Amino acid sequence: MDNICNVTTGEVRLSYVHLFKPYAAMQGQEEKFSVTVLVPKTDTATMGRINAAIEAAKQRGVTEKWNGQCPPMVPTPVYDGDGVRPSDGMPFGMECKGHWVFTASAKVDYPPEIVDKAGNPIINQSEVYSGIYGRVNVTFYPYSFGGKKGIGCGLGPVQKLKDGEVLGGGHVSAAQAFGAPQQPAAQNYAAGAGMPQQPMPGINPITGRPF
């Protein structure tokens, strides 16, 4: 069951990236590592795995969290990016159009591993920002808290695949702001051309010796 509830996405876009430092949207909330995942609607394979994982998490909820009964309406963390945000009823941002949208998070005791395309750990935090493309491993789970029941999404390892246009509030690198660094022109040393000239020694007119 745990395996069914776990999904590694195909290539997705990442927004609201808080992967190296935990974050809380409002003062007093628990700080967590988190990222919002944008799954292209064309990636039916990933969404098929996500929907299967959510259904498996509901079954876990019945046996482990919800006293043997599944609520008639089970809130899930996946939303239609072409629709409106559940928090305020406003449309999702333009970057969400044509995507399924969900947020995954992890507690401060479980920081996610962040790796590059080759699987090596990313040390330079500036390489990970809102707008990059990557793959994300997530686990869907049932919850019952404060009288509310639903399905949550836990954050696992994240792999960066490629850079993308920076989304609002994201990191801007020097290369993105000012252009790629220019390589210094190579000096031409062929046949002595361009060879730095050494100053010729002077001749002391009195002694006749160089100085």
PDB file of all heavy atoms in Angstrom, residues 110-124:
ATOM      1  N   TYR A 110      12.720  16.292   8.267  1.00  0.00           N
ATOM      2  CA  TYR A 110      12.896  15.451   7.079  1.00  0.00           C
ATOM      3  C   TYR A 110      13.159  16.313   5.842  1.00  0.00           C
ATOM      4  O   TYR A 110      12.341  16.333   4.905  1.00  0.00           O
ATOM      5  CB  TYR A 110      11.656  14.572   6.862  1.00  0.00           C
ATOM      6  CG  TYR A 110      11.373  13.655   8.021  1.00  0.00           C
ATOM      7  CD1 TYR A 110      10.451  14.005   9.001  1.00  0.00           C
ATOM      8  CD2 TYR A 110      12.041  12.437   8.152  1.00  0.00           C
ATOM      9  CE1 TYR A 110      10.194  13.167  10.077  1.00  0.00           C
ATOM     10  CE2 TYR A 110      11.781  11.590   9.227  1.00  0.00           C
ATOM     11  CZ  TYR A 110      10.856  11.965  10.187  1.00  0.00           C
ATOM     12  OH  TYR A 110      10.599  11.138  11.246  1.00  0.00           O
ATOM     13  N   PRO A 111      14.293  17.001   5.797  1.00  0.00           N
ATOM     14  CA  PRO A 111      14.595  17.831   4.627  1.00  0.00           C
ATOM     15  C   PRO A 111      14.728  16.967   3.380  1.00  0.00           C
ATOM     16  O   PRO A 111      15.330  15.881   3.433  1.00  0.00           O
ATOM     17  CB  PRO A 111      15.930  18.496   4.993  1.00  0.00           C
ATOM     18  CG  PRO A 111      16.537  17.597   6.023  1.00  0.00           C
ATOM     19  CD  PRO A 111      15.387  17.027   6.799  1.00  0.00           C
ATOM     20  N   PRO A 112      14.160  17.396   2.262  1.00  0.00           N
ATOM     21  CA  PRO A 112      14.232  16.591   1.044  1.00  0.00           C
ATOM     22  C   PRO A 112      15.627  16.612   0.429  1.00  0.00           C
ATOM     23  O   PRO A 112      16.351  17.605   0.535  1.00  0.00           O
ATOM     24  CB  PRO A 112      13.214  17.272   0.114  1.00  0.00           C
ATOM     25  CG  PRO A 112      13.209  18.693   0.583  1.00  0.00           C
ATOM     26  CD  PRO A 112      13.399  18.641   2.071  1.00  0.00           C
ATOM     27  N   GLU A 113      16.005  15.510  -0.191  1.00  0.00           N
ATOM     28  CA  GLU A 113      17.244  15.485  -0.961  1.00  0.00           C
ATOM     29  C   GLU A 113      17.009  16.235  -2.273  1.00  0.00           C
ATOM     30  O   GLU A 113      15.982  16.042  -2.929  1.00  0.00           O
ATOM     31  CB  GLU A 113      17.659  14.056  -1.269  1.00  0.00           C
ATOM     32  CG  GLU A 113      18.085  13.234  -0.075  1.00  0.00           C
ATOM     33  CD  GLU A 113      18.550  11.851  -0.506  1.00  0.00           C
ATOM     34  OE1 GLU A 113      19.679  11.733  -1.028  1.00  0.00           O
ATOM     35  OE2 GLU A 113      17.763  10.903  -0.345  1.00  0.00           O
ATOM     36  N   ILE A 114      17.973  17.070  -2.662  1.00  0.00           N
ATOM     37  CA  ILE A 114      17.877  17.834  -3.899  1.00  0.00           C
ATOM     38  C   ILE A 114      19.060  17.443  -4.777  1.00  0.00           C
ATOM     39  O   ILE A 114      20.209  17.646  -4.372  1.00  0.00           O
ATOM     40  CB  ILE A 114      17.900  19.358  -3.646  1.00  0.00           C
ATOM     41  CG1 ILE A 114      17.010  19.738  -2.451  1.00  0.00           C
ATOM     42  CG2 ILE A 114      17.497  20.106  -4.908  1.00  0.00           C
ATOM     43  CD1 ILE A 114      15.558  19.420  -2.649  1.00  0.00           C
ATOM     44  N   VAL A 115      18.799  16.874  -5.947  1.00  0.00           N
ATOM     45  CA  VAL A 115      19.876  16.397  -6.806  1.00  0.00           C
ATOM     46  C   VAL A 115      19.733  16.987  -8.202  1.00  0.00           C
ATOM     47  O   VAL A 115      18.664  17.474  -8.595  1.00  0.00           O
ATOM     48  CB  VAL A 115      19.892  14.856  -6.883  1.00  0.00           C
ATOM     49  CG1 VAL A 115      20.100  14.246  -5.504  1.00  0.00           C
ATOM     50  CG2 VAL A 115      18.609  14.322  -7.511  1.00  0.00           C
ATOM     51  N   ASP A 116      20.849  16.920  -8.965  1.00  0.00           N
ATOM     52  CA  ASP A 116      20.830  17.408 -10.341  1.00  0.00           C
ATOM     53  C   ASP A 116      20.449  16.281 -11.298  1.00  0.00           C
ATOM     54  O   ASP A 116      20.095  15.173 -10.870  1.00  0.00           O
ATOM     55  CB  ASP A 116      22.171  18.044 -10.716  1.00  0.00           C
ATOM     56  CG  ASP A 116      23.338  17.053 -10.643  1.00  0.00           C
ATOM     57  OD1 ASP A 116      23.101  15.824 -10.641  1.00  0.00           O
ATOM     58  OD2 ASP A 116      24.496  17.515 -10.586  1.00  0.00           O
ATOM     59  N   LYS A 117      20.552  16.559 -12.590  1.00  0.00           N
ATOM     60  CA  LYS A 117      20.123  15.595 -13.598  1.00  0.00           C
ATOM     61  C   LYS A 117      20.897  14.291 -13.510  1.00  0.00           C
ATOM     62  O   LYS A 117      20.378  13.219 -13.826  1.00  0.00           O
ATOM     63  CB  LYS A 117      20.285  16.224 -14.985  1.00  0.00           C
ATOM     64  CG  LYS A 117      19.618  15.451 -16.103  1.00  0.00           C
ATOM     65  CD  LYS A 117      19.685  16.218 -17.399  1.00  0.00           C
ATOM     66  CE  LYS A 117      18.970  15.475 -18.515  1.00  0.00           C
ATOM     67  NZ  LYS A 117      18.993  16.238 -19.792  1.00  0.00           N
ATOM     68  N   ALA A 118      22.164  14.389 -13.072  1.00  0.00           N
ATOM     69  CA  ALA A 118      23.008  13.191 -12.953  1.00  0.00           C
ATOM     70  C   ALA A 118      22.836  12.487 -11.613  1.00  0.00           C
ATOM     71  O   ALA A 118      23.463  11.450 -11.377  1.00  0.00           O
ATOM     72  CB  ALA A 118      24.474  13.563 -13.163  1.00  0.00           C
ATOM     73  N   GLY A 119      22.016  13.047 -10.729  1.00  0.00           N
ATOM     74  CA  GLY A 119      21.792  12.433  -9.422  1.00  0.00           C
ATOM     75  C   GLY A 119      22.736  12.906  -8.344  1.00  0.00           C
ATOM     76  O   GLY A 119      22.719  12.376  -7.223  1.00  0.00           O
ATOM     77  N   ASN A 120      23.551  13.924  -8.648  1.00  0.00           N
ATOM     78  CA  ASN A 120      24.482  14.458  -7.657  1.00  0.00           C
ATOM     79  C   ASN A 120      23.797  15.512  -6.794  1.00  0.00           C
ATOM     80  O   ASN A 120      22.986  16.298  -7.310  1.00  0.00           O
ATOM     81  CB  ASN A 120      25.698  15.082  -8.352  1.00  0.00           C
ATOM     82  CG  ASN A 120      26.447  14.071  -9.194  1.00  0.00           C
ATOM     83  OD1 ASN A 120      26.813  13.004  -8.718  1.00  0.00           O
ATOM     84  ND2 ASN A 120      26.671  14.404 -10.470  1.00  0.00           N
ATOM     85  N   PRO A 121      24.108  15.565  -5.498  1.00  0.00           N
ATOM     86  CA  PRO A 121      23.495  16.580  -4.630  1.00  0.00           C
ATOM     87  C   PRO A 121      23.780  17.993  -5.134  1.00  0.00           C
ATOM     88  O   PRO A 121      24.896  18.291  -5.570  1.00  0.00           O
ATOM     89  CB  PRO A 121      24.154  16.330  -3.270  1.00  0.00           C
ATOM     90  CG  PRO A 121      24.626  14.913  -3.330  1.00  0.00           C
ATOM     91  CD  PRO A 121      25.011  14.658  -4.755  1.00  0.00           C
ATOM     92  N   ILE A 122      22.774  18.843  -5.094  1.00  0.00           N
ATOM     93  CA  ILE A 122      22.952  20.250  -5.464  1.00  0.00           C
ATOM     94  C   ILE A 122      23.362  21.017  -4.218  1.00  0.00           C
ATOM     95  O   ILE A 122      22.610  21.078  -3.239  1.00  0.00           O
ATOM     96  CB  ILE A 122      21.671  20.830  -6.073  1.00  0.00           C
ATOM     97  CG1 ILE A 122      21.367  20.150  -7.417  1.00  0.00           C
ATOM     98  CG2 ILE A 122      21.793  22.348  -6.260  1.00  0.00           C
ATOM     99  CD1 ILE A 122      20.105  20.645  -8.091  1.00  0.00           C
ATOM    100  N   ILE A 123      24.552  21.585  -4.263  1.00  0.00           N
ATOM    101  CA  ILE A 123      25.081  22.334  -3.121  1.00  0.00           C
ATOM    102  C   ILE A 123      24.745  23.813  -3.240  1.00  0.00           C
ATOM    103  O   ILE A 123      24.403  24.474  -2.258  1.00  0.00           O
ATOM    104  CB  ILE A 123      26.608  22.143  -3.005  1.00  0.00           C
ATOM    105  CG1 ILE A 123      26.946  20.632  -2.948  1.00  0.00           C
ATOM    106  CG2 ILE A 123      27.139  22.843  -1.771  1.00  0.00           C
ATOM    107  CD1 ILE A 123      26.305  19.894  -1.807  1.00  0.00           C
ATOM    108  N   ASN A 124      24.855  24.336  -4.450  1.00  0.00           N
ATOM    109  CA  ASN A 124      24.595  25.754  -4.699  1.00  0.00           C
ATOM    110  C   ASN A 124      23.083  25.997  -4.690  1.00  0.00           C
ATOM    111  O   ASN A 124      22.379  25.658  -5.636  1.00  0.00           O
ATOM    112  CB  ASN A 124      25.199  26.173  -6.036  1.00  0.00           C
ATOM    113  CG  ASN A 124      25.055  27.670  -6.299  1.00  0.00           C
ATOM    114  OD1 ASN A 124      24.414  28.389  -5.534  1.00  0.00           O
ATOM    115  ND2 ASN A 124      25.656  28.134  -7.384  1.00  0.00           N
TER     116      ASN A 124
END
